[in-house]
Amino acid sequence: MIISLAQFQRRKESSAPSAEDPSPAHRPGVMARCRRWSDPAAVALATLLIAWRASTLGQWIVDDAAITFAYARSIDEGLGPVQQPGADPVEGYSNPNWLVLLLIGRKLGLFDHGTLLGVSDLVLYPKALALLCTAGVLACVAVAARAVLPGRAWAVTLLTGGVLAANLSYVAWSFSGLENPLYALTAAATGALLVRGAVRGALPRPAVAATAGALALLAALTRPDGAVLAAAYPVTVLLFLRRDGLVRAVRAVALSCGMFALPYAAFLLWRRATFGLWVPNTAVAKAQKAPRIGQLASTGELLTYGGWALALIGAACVGVALARPGPARRALAALLVPLALTLFAYGVLGRDWMALYRFATPVWVLAAMALALAVGAVWHAERPRARVLIGCALAGALLLSVTGQAAQDRRFVQRPTLSMCFVAERYGHTFNAYAAYLGLRDATVALPDLGGTLLTSRLRVVDVAGLTDRRVAEAYAAADTSDLRDYVLNEVRPELLHVHAAWTAKSGLTTPRLAAAGYVPLYREGNGGDFVRADAVRDPARITALRERVRPALDDMVAQMRPAGCGPTLRAGEGSPA
């Protein structure tokens, strides 16, 4: 018996495959390594695809972002949260977390110091942050996908990246210098956390609850409307609530709400003590009203821009996945909660004058994530013939989406929303030159385009848009333009002033009213232009001479509205005057 067993063992060993067998089936280490690196490779590839799309916008940074840049400079230089030296503290920004990242960059010498790789760090640093946040968004997608489709998370990640890269609204506003990419990251992280918790039955765990509250806090301190994500975890827990887990669920929700509410309440108390308001001054200036049901209809614009065919395919795949028991059903049910909340937040926000749906960034991220997960789940469950149909339908829908957006996207790329570099040149350097030529010392300028102006102006700046001026903001909130005009023309009495387009009517600073207050034009621009208070200039002949001198340069500048670049730095007195 012993001999027989020994012979059997020798036969078994001789028939076992050699360690040198080159067959892939006998190289589990190679396959494991491929699987291990497939998801990071998909994240990297999708990030590069989005970065390539963003490169079509060149060095564009939207001017509103430069307002936060100016506050970062003031705080870092020890002046406090003011728009420029000597100004009163006013919360003229609404993105504290993004401001902190800019401050860190300035402390490290990476931001507002000069050039990096031959590009102004005012452009490169925020775009680098956006790239890191984009990679983080796609990493969150991969994490969520692994909970549902462990072997195909890379495909879900690539599909999400492709959909986002095709969407210029997501790409442009993520790389605009604003806080959008950080907000998108918090939304994606919230979605991934809820998906993993729902699939693994781990939603009531304290770690998940605390993380959900912390992410909601991060979102709320990144953008005011980000506070809506504080409801994502409680609603999702309620969605999966079972009677035997009621007590545990209540404790988890209380922990999550506490993690959000207590620090956020402390922040609100600090805001009240520092600025005298419970909301940022920007919210007062924009006169945000209580939401109306009719405003939710604006979400239909997103479906039109994103493409109805793509939306219908996504909805169909989500419906099929929800109808089938399994992890995909739980994952999508959880993911639809933050998507619905961010869509609701977009609907109730006031209409934004900037192109390409600036406030929709988290909606695009969560919608693309849901689409990719649903398509992946249905693809995995279907037979080859159905997979071919799904693939063809998806490719056709993506093509229709891209072509449907093409004209609108082309217009934006050719003339993107108000550039920081243009504002710095048109209003910062130009009004510096006005003041110097006319001999105006310690002068004040009132105008509505602020970011680039604050970075470059030697003058005291009054914000006609009200974002950084409490009195102007309160006048807009009360719909009292007479109070605004009285404040600007009789109290401030700026030596220089500019209004144009919608700001002329909105502020009431029309040409006849300015003339009655003693202002004369230096440069006409549509229904407004550049004005100087005549009694502030000792030699009236210099006003006439200045008009002739600046017109050719300003005509060309206003027509282009897109300078090639900002130069290495934007500081008061630097750059070429008009």
Side-chain angles (χ1 to χ4, degrees):
M1 181 69 176
I2 295 174
I3 295 174
S4 299
L5 286 173
Q7 290 174 341
F8 174 77
Q9 185 64 28
R10 282 195 297 272
R11 288 196 195 100
K12 183 178 179 182
E13 290 175 353
S14 63
S15 62
S18 168
E20 299 178 355
D21 189 341
S23 172
H26 300 136
R27 290 187 291 174
V30 174
M31 299 301 293
R33 283 195 296 272
C34 290
R35 285 193 295 270
R36 187 182 308 121
W37 288 102
S38 61
D39 294 348
V43 169
L45 184 59
T47 301
L48 288 174
L49 182 62
I50 292 172
W52 168 79
R53 186 77 194 279
S55 69
T56 61
L57 294 166
Q59 297 187 31
W60 170 72
I61 294 287
V62 72
D63 185 62
D64 271 26
I67 298 175
T68 310
F69 297 178
Y71 274 90
R73 176 185 291 178
S74 293
I75 294 171
D76 187 47
E77 292 179 351
L79 302 174
V82 297
Q83 66 170 7
Q84 63 182 154
D88 294 329
V90 175
E91 193 179 6
Y93 55 90
S94 56
N95 47 7
N97 280 335
W98 189 247
L99 175 62
V100 169
L101 292 181
L102 298 177
L103 275 169
I104 291 172
R106 204 172 193 278
K107 290 287 187 185
L108 296 175
L110 300 174
F111 178 67
D112 197 21
H113 283 279
T115 60
L116 290 171
L117 305 176
V119 179
S120 171
D121 56 14
L122 288 168
V123 173
L124 191 58
Y125 180 74
K127 288 185 182 290
L129 289 180
L131 191 64
L132 291 175
C133 289
T134 298
V137 165
L138 294 165
C140 290
V141 174
V143 167
R146 276 201 296 270
V148 183
L149 300 164
R152 292 181 172 82
W154 63 270
V156 173
T157 305
L158 282 178
L159 179 56
T160 304
V163 171
L164 292 177
N167 187 319
L168 189 64
S169 171
Y170 167 79
V171 174
W173 292 114
S174 290
F175 289 82
S176 66
L178 289 170
E179 69 283 350
N180 293 51
L182 184 59
Y183 186 21
L185 178 57
T186 61
T190 299
L193 179 74
L194 297 178
V195 165
R196 284 171 63 86
V199 171
R200 299 180 177 183
L203 279 175
R205 290 181 183 174
V208 176
T211 304
L215 287 172
L217 177 65
L218 179 63
L221 295 180
T222 300
R223 269 258 299 273
D225 49 302
V228 73
L229 289 177
Y233 179 79
V235 172
T236 306
V237 169
L238 181 63
L239 193 63
F240 291 96
L241 183 64
R242 294 185 305 181
R243 184 175 298 179
D244 58 353
L246 179 60
V247 174
R248 191 182 178 197
V250 169
R251 289 174 179 170
V253 168
L255 174 60
S256 178
C257 292
M259 284 291 295
F260 168 78
L262 294 178
Y264 195 58
F267 170 76
L268 293 179
L269 290 173
W270 172 84
R271 171 186 279 161
R272 177 71 178 180
T274 304
F275 303 110
L277 292 171
W278 292 109
V279 297
N281 194 67
T282 56
V284 179
K286 293 177 180 179
Q288 176 72 44
K289 305 297 183 183
R292 302 186 305 274
I293 296 297
Q295 288 179 251
L296 297 178
S298 63
T299 57
E301 299 174 355
L302 302 185
L303 292 176
T304 302
Y305 178 79
W308 281 97
L310 192 61
L312 289 173
I313 289 176
C317 288
V318 168
V320 171
L322 289 175
R324 295 172 175 171
R329 171 196 276 182
R330 298 177 65 84
L332 286 167
L335 186 57
L336 290 177
V337 173
L339 174 57
L341 289 171
T342 54
L343 195 60
F344 173 79
Y346 174 84
V348 300
L349 283 173
R351 298 279 295 185
D352 184 45
W353 66 272
M354 297 189 187
L356 291 188
Y357 316 105
R358 173 169 56 129
F359 296 138
T361 304
V363 176
W364 299 132
V365 168
L366 293 169
M369 197 171 172
L371 168 70
L373 275 175
V375 169
V378 174
W379 177 285
H380 178 68
E382 295 296 335
R383 294 182 177 180
R385 182 176 297 177
R387 291 180 178 181
V388 171
L389 291 176
I390 293 170
C392 291
L394 184 62
L398 278 170
L399 181 62
L400 287 174
S401 176
V402 170
T403 54
Q405 300 170 14
Q408 195 171 353
D409 291 354
R410 193 180 308 112
R411 288 193 299 270
F412 189 91
V413 170
Q414 291 171 351
R415 179 171 278 195
T417 299
L418 196 61
S419 161
M420 170 185 73
C421 296
F422 171 77
V423 171
E425 188 72 15
R426 171 66 180 90
Y427 305 114
H429 297 318
T430 296
F431 279 86
N432 285 344
Y434 284 164
Y437 187 82
L438 296 173
L440 302 176
R441 296 181 179 273
D442 301 320
T444 297
V445 59
L447 42 71
D449 294 318
L450 205 65
T453 304
L454 291 176
L455 293 176
T456 54
S457 183
R458 293 193 300 265
L459 314 176
R460 178 198 170 202
V461 179
V462 173
D463 180 16
V464 172
L467 299 179
T468 65
D469 192 291
R470 180 82 175 270
R471 282 285 303 276
V472 175
E474 290 173 347
Y476 283 130
D480 188 357
T481 57
S482 62
D483 183 59
L484 187 155
R485 293 194 303 274
D486 181 65
Y487 168 65
V488 173
L489 299 179
N490 297 325
E491 292 186 40
V492 177
R493 286 186 57 77
E495 288 79 5
L496 296 163
L497 185 145
H498 170 88
V499 286
H500 68 277
W503 290 112
T504 302
K506 186 174 181 179
S507 66
L509 297 172
T510 60
T511 300
R513 286 189 175 119
L514 292 177
Y519 287 86
V520 295
L522 293 173
Y523 175 76
R524 294 285 192 181
E525 183 180 341
N527 60 349
D530 305 346
F531 296 84
V532 63
R533 205 179 76 231
D535 62 6
V537 181
R538 293 182 179 180
D539 182 2
R542 296 186 74 84
I543 296 177
T544 304
L546 184 59
R547 287 177 186 149
E548 299 301 321
R549 180 175 178 178
V550 301
R551 174 164 294 282
L554 288 182
D555 282 346
D556 184 61
M557 191 187 305
V558 171
Q560 292 184 16
M561 284 196 68
R562 191 179 183 183
C566 291
T569 58
L570 288 179
R571 294 189 179 279
E574 296 181 0
S576 56

